[in-house]
Amino acid sequence: MISLDEAVTARLETHGERFEVLVDPDAALSMKRDDFDGDLEDVIAAEDVFENASRGDRPPENALEEVFGTTEPLEIIPEVIQDGEIQITADQRREMQERKHRELVQRITRNAVNPQMDDAPHPPDRIESALEEAGFQIDPMEPVETQVDDALDALRPVIPIRFDEVTVAVQLPPDYAGSGQAKIREFGDLESEEWQSDGSWVGVLTFPAGLQNDFFELANEVSSGEAETRIIKDEDDIKTR
């Protein structure tokens, strides 16, 4: 379950009665879009149906039976959410907007590069400033992933940007290959790997282009700065870092 501070009220008024439930706002919006795939008990603040949630008043059981055909809260709660309205206070709306804005910046930073600077990643501060300059406001009632394209459209007149992936080959010396490769292979999609006759390890990984600096830092960390990396752009164009 979630805390009461995290929950919003979903309200359904029907048959002359009012039914309210306390639920995570993002989960409630997912249920209304029919794409919620989590555990209901993890996203509600109370396994209960209220007539007035702020006062803790409950509706009569015969009203529940008449409207929903059951008195079981876990069966009723999804119906209240799907058929009712999500009640969000100004503070909750502002908090959701701020959180989703941070998620948007993080998502863009992970995936975006600057095509005018040899596909270097954009730092988060630059994305923040560009979104502000573009006047882009994220909708707190919509998933972040559905707003990324609109954000990119708003950013393009402000900064050169595109989403991309990068493929990097990395070689770890024998002294660091055993422990280092286990951490490296978790960073992205491992395209291929090979153990060399001298005990060194070579791996080729693909990951969001905005994470290049993070990857190079990890490679240096696990090898005490002795790793060799190459950004593979195509078969004939290999850039050594």
Side-chain angles (χ1 to χ4, degrees), residues 69-173:
T70 180
T71 60
E72 290 296 323
L74 292 181
E75 295 181 26
I76 297 171
I77 289 172
E79 290 192 47
V80 173
I81 295 169
Q82 289 174 336
D83 298 336
E85 296 182 354
I86 309 302
Q87 310 293 315
I88 297 180
T89 67
D91 286 344
Q92 288 172 327
R93 183 180 181 87
R94 182 171 58 254
E95 183 180 342
M96 289 175 64
Q97 189 164 28
E98 291 174 353
R99 175 167 53 80
K100 290 194 174 184
H101 177 81
R102 291 192 298 269
E103 291 176 10
L104 176 68
V105 170
Q106 182 182 46
R107 185 180 293 261
I108 293 175
T109 301
R110 284 174 55 89
N111 292 278
V113 294
N114 184 344
Q116 293 184 5
M117 295 293 289
D118 202 19
D119 291 344
H122 283 289
D125 288 349
R126 184 179 301 157
I127 300 299
E128 284 272 15
S129 298
L131 286 171
E132 182 177 353
E133 183 177 344
F136 183 81
Q137 294 289 327
I138 194 163
D139 186 344
M141 304 299 288
E142 293 294 329
V144 172
E145 55 269 23
T146 66
Q147 302 185 68
V148 171
D149 287 344
D150 289 339
L152 288 176
D153 289 342
L155 286 172
R156 288 189 179 102
V158 180
I159 57 173
I161 189 170
R162 75 159 184 263
F163 269 21
D164 205 354
E165 289 187 328
V166 65
T167 300
V168 177
V170 56
Q171 180 169 351
L172 301 179

Side-chain angles (χ1 to χ4, degrees), residues 35-56:
D35 61 6
F36 178 73
D37 59 0
D39 189 332
L40 180 62
E41 294 184 48
D42 292 338
V43 297
I44 56 176
E47 191 176 322
D48 213 338
V49 180
F50 301 93
E51 181 179 46
N52 186 311
S54 63
R55 295 201 305 258

Side-chain angles (χ1 to χ4, degrees), residues 192-213:
S192 63
E193 63 177 324
E194 182 178 339
W195 288 92
Q196 306 294 301
S197 58
D198 64 353
S200 61
W201 178 82
V202 176
V204 177
L205 295 93
T206 298
F207 49 85
L211 298 180
Q212 293 175 60
N213 290 337

Side-chain angles (χ1 to χ4, degrees), residues 170-176 200-201 216-229:
V170 56
Q171 180 169 351
L172 301 179
D175 289 346
Y176 306 98
S200 61
W201 178 82
F216 296 132
E217 289 177 4
L218 175 63
N220 285 329
E221 177 186 326
V222 301
S223 67
S224 297
E226 295 186 27
E228 296 183 10
T229 59

